[in-house]
Amino acid sequence: MKIAIIGVGLIGGSMALKLKQKEFATKIYGVDFNENNLTKAKELNIIDEITDLEIAVKNSDLIILSIPVDSSVKLLPHILDLINDSQTVMDVGSTKFSIVEIIKNHQKRKNFVASHPMWGTENSGPQAATASAFSERAAVICDAEMSAESSLNLVKKVYENLDMNLLFMNSEDHDIHTAYISHISHITSYALANTVLEKEREEDTIFQLASSGFSSTVRLAKSHPEMWVPIFKQNKENVLDVLNEHITQLRKFKSALEKENYVLLEELISNANKIRGILK
Amino acid sequence: MKIAIIGVGLIGGSMALKLKQKEFATKIYGVDFNENNLTKAKELNIIDEITDLEIAVKNSDLIILSIPVDSSVKLLPHILDLINDSQTVMDVGSTKFSIVEIIKNHQKRKNFVASHPMWGTENSGPQAATASAFSERAAVICDAEMSAESSLNLVKKVYENLDMNLLFMNSEDHDIHTAYISHISHITSYALANTVLEKEREEDTIFQLASSGFSSTVRLAKSHPEMWVPIFKQNKENVLDVLNEHITQLRKFKSALEKENYVLLEELISNANKIRGILK
């Protein structure tokens, strides 16, 4: 199967590596606005051929859109204009409602499958790509009933080859859930990094003292704005709901401390410990 | 060297394992209020002999206090009453000002060394102990000038045997720094866990969707209140300062989103990205 990867970064690159390893992909065309990414991806054998968007789309059975979510929304209608009925387009973005909304009346709507493999790191670019990235993680397919059976089956096969566990939900629910279990984590990490950077001027001391707990909590704060500003923008309402709730929860800790109400503080912590039963 | 470990949990147990492995400890007495911990620690060869506090203290060259910080503050004066001039007591708690304050006028003050190895996990108990726990991490010794040279040198040797990198600071500075790089991370994790648990009732969906990003941000929320309530209590003022700053930082994200000021949002994220240069 010939595959076009539009955006040969961390996610597109990791998919390409695994789909080649599984011999699901026989040829991979790489398209990217960033020339360095393309050269690097070719060097690393992530892609087989560097080409432009139209040639890649015309020559591929499957087109994978793995670029920031604002660019996906702009580019997808154009890609759907270019394909014929036997081709399939999938995206892998972290927000889903905006992208399904933009092409809901497109005559090739059924050739598109909206999806989201739940994996990422704070690193970016093809040099961070790895074939084992997605194994045993969840992948979500949204609004499956809007896609043709052939396209849906093809995308299911892609995720099977990535060794991912498939989930199905509508795009609105997806965006609510990801606000809770992904987008808010990034905001708290960014805010925590800014808190420490704001107050703590002795950077050597941070660097030397920073425990593994701090490092894991602040890890996501290394994630780039090019990817995350568009996600927060597209999922603004849900993210604001969760952010308001999170600030309310933090205020409870603040209030318990200020009032020296250590019984309440213990209750808040014991409640949080319930996450232990949910997350392994 | 004979060592008494008062509190054979994660930290005390990990120290015992490593100090035996390095043959720094020839005999380890284990003391704990929790009988299960003692039995488990003996089974796992973490300690050599289960005994009571007085016998352990009388028979040891070095007494390591590795219990919650509120218990340490209560127990330390009593332990100092029991020792002679050739013995050394060290603690490994996450707050330092309260403990040095409580014994500042004790006639055996110089036999005590206040310290804090910067390592921990969300797990607890001797079964979570591991000899490699502390390697290459920072260990802080506080108010070193208040300790006798012989006691200080002994504690330095302990941390050398744990393969830790030593730092020296006063106890007030320690408590400010740890508020920033450890205590606030725990509060944000707890609050994040409570945010998700509060709103998201479909627990299966959290469980299935939770990405590695969420898991790492919320990992510390599994930490027990028995350890953390006393830490927050003893470091209340510093933790409140940092918590207020953190809420202010979160409000900036909220405001940027509400006002759709994506230039500001990008600035906030780019600033947070500077943590990349500080943390490896």
Side-chain angles (χ1 to χ4, degrees), chain A residues 1-41:
Chain A
M1 166 152 313
K2 292 178 184 168
I3 299 179
I5 305 268
I6 318 297
V8 295
L10 173 70
I11 300 298
S14 295
M15 293 179 82
L17 281 172
K18 182 77 171 195
L19 295 176
K20 285 174 85 168
Q21 192 186 78
K22 289 281 190 104
E23 297 178 3
F24 183 84
T26 51
K27 176 153 191 179
I28 294 198
Y29 296 95
V31 180
D32 207 305
F33 290 122
N34 182 327
E35 290 286 336
N36 287 339
N37 273 5
L38 281 174
T39 315
K40 193 79 194 166

Side-chain angles (χ1 to χ4, degrees), chain B residues 63-78:
Chain B
I63 296 105
I64 300 178
L65 208 46
S66 46
I67 50 181
V69 294
D70 54 339
S71 305
S72 286
V73 166
K74 281 179 205 149
L75 200 56
L76 180 58
H78 175 58

